[in-house]
Amino acid sequence: SQELEQSPQSLIVQEGKNLTINCTSSKTLYGLYWYKQKYGEGLIFLMMLQKGGEEKSHEKITAKLDEKKQQSSLHITASQPSHAGIYLCGADSGGATNKLIFGTGTLLAVQP
Amino acid sequence: DGGITQSPKYLFRKEGQNVTLSCEQNLNHDAMYWYRQDPGQGLRLIYYSQIVNDFQKGDIAEGYSVSREKKESFPLTVTSAQKNPTAFYLCASSFMALAKNIQYFGAGTRLSVL
């Protein structure tokens, strides 16, 4: 079965610094989704990637899917306290269902 | 406003008791999902439904039951058979478009055992 591994598990950065979170799949990715979660709340959809080499940006967050479609990265430029939370990647599990599998998440803290 | 509403936000279960978590969506989505989130384990799929009156077991369905009598509603019952129910429960919904499966989530229900 497919597994998603996220790294690092947790991250503390100073406000204004850049950071990168990685999501690695054991199988080819056909749809990769990035979500953000504040503690005790639901997941907020950030971006979806489908094609090898694809890159999308929203405000200061950029997500990329590598050419081989087995790894994705989420890059935050000039981090702010509002970026703090848990970032999760999810992937289509394949087949005829819409099931997603999720990584274990990366906890980001941004120090003012 | 369109969205997914979960209730209650906090729930306490006594030994041997069944409890039901509510999930309602007004996004006209066909598919709905229930996940369980434990610290350090990410999200695990409990049950999902792609159409009214039909649902399938996810990876950790034991001790849980669901129904899908209406498109908008997908309640989850945590039965007394679930021996470790303390967790954060998340409901999600999506359109049935393969390879573009953006799931939208509710705010969650935190269940604790008394």
Side-chain angles (χ1 to χ4, degrees):
Chain A
S1 61
Q2 186 174 17
E3 292 184 355
L4 293 178
E5 185 174 328
Q6 284 188 239
S7 63
Q9 286 188 323
S10 63
L11 192 55
I12 302 173
V13 298
Q14 289 292 123
E15 183 175 357
K17 296 294 186 184
N18 302 338
L19 63 106
T20 300
I21 298 169
N22 294 302
C23 176
T24 303
S25 173
S26 56
K27 296 184 179 180
T28 301
L29 293 162
Y30 292 102
L32 189 285
Y33 307 80
W34 281 102
Y35 287 87
K36 179 186 175 184
Q37 182 183 31
K38 295 232 177 218
Y39 180 76
E41 298 180 10
L43 277 64
I44 304 298
F45 171 72
L46 296 175
M47 279 172 277
M48 180 189 73
L49 303 165
Q50 289 182 284
K51 300 175 183 175
E54 187 175 9
E55 179 175 320
K56 287 187 177 178
S57 294
H58 177 66
E59 297 180 341
K60 294 184 178 180
I61 301 177
T62 300
K64 300 178 186 179
L65 183 60
D66 74 337
E67 289 289 345
K68 292 184 179 179
K69 294 173 63 175
Q70 283 199 276
Q71 186 170 40
S72 178
S73 61
L74 188 80
H75 184 78
I76 298 177
T77 303
S79 58
Q80 300 169 352
S82 61
H83 288 128
I86 301 169
Y87 290 83
L88 295 104
C89 61
D92 286 311
S93 60
T97 73
N98 271 25
K99 291 194 296 180
L100 292 182
I101 60 166
F102 285 89
T104 53
T106 295
L107 176 61
L108 171 64
V110 180
Q111 291 183 333
Chain B
D1 281 290
I4 301 173
T5 302
Q6 288 188 241
S7 63
K9 191 165 178 64
Y10 301 97
L11 188 57
F12 298 91
R13 194 191 89 167
K14 294 181 182 178
E15 203 71 40
Q17 187 183 39
N18 293 351
V19 292
T20 297
L21 284 61
S22 170
C23 179
E24 303 276 333
Q25 55 98 0
N26 60 3
L27 300 169
N28 200 32
H29 286 166
D30 300 297
M32 297 186 75
Y33 315 81
W34 274 107
Y35 294 92
R36 171 178 170 142
Q37 187 176 32
D38 295 280
Q41 293 198 45
L43 273 66
R44 291 183 290 169
L45 183 64
I46 304 172
Y47 269 99
Y48 65 102
S49 168
Q50 296 176 292
I51 194 170
V52 174
N53 293 323
D54 189 43
F55 48 83
Q56 285 78 41
K57 292 181 179 180
D59 301 315
I60 55 165
E62 187 174 347
Y64 300 97
S65 66
V66 293
S67 63
R68 186 89 186 275
E69 296 176 3
K70 297 187 298 182
K71 187 175 184 177
E72 310 81 47
S73 179
F74 192 40
L76 172 74
T77 296
V78 183
T79 74
S80 56
Q82 172 50 245
K83 298 306 178 187
N84 184 23
T86 297
F88 191 53
Y89 291 87
L90 288 160
C91 178
S93 68
S94 73
F95 287 115
M96 279 299 296
L98 290 176
K100 196 167 186 178
N101 181 22
I102 300 171
Q103 294 186 12
Y104 295 91
F105 285 79
T109 293
R110 187 166 298 279
L111 176 61
S112 302
V113 176
L114 289 176

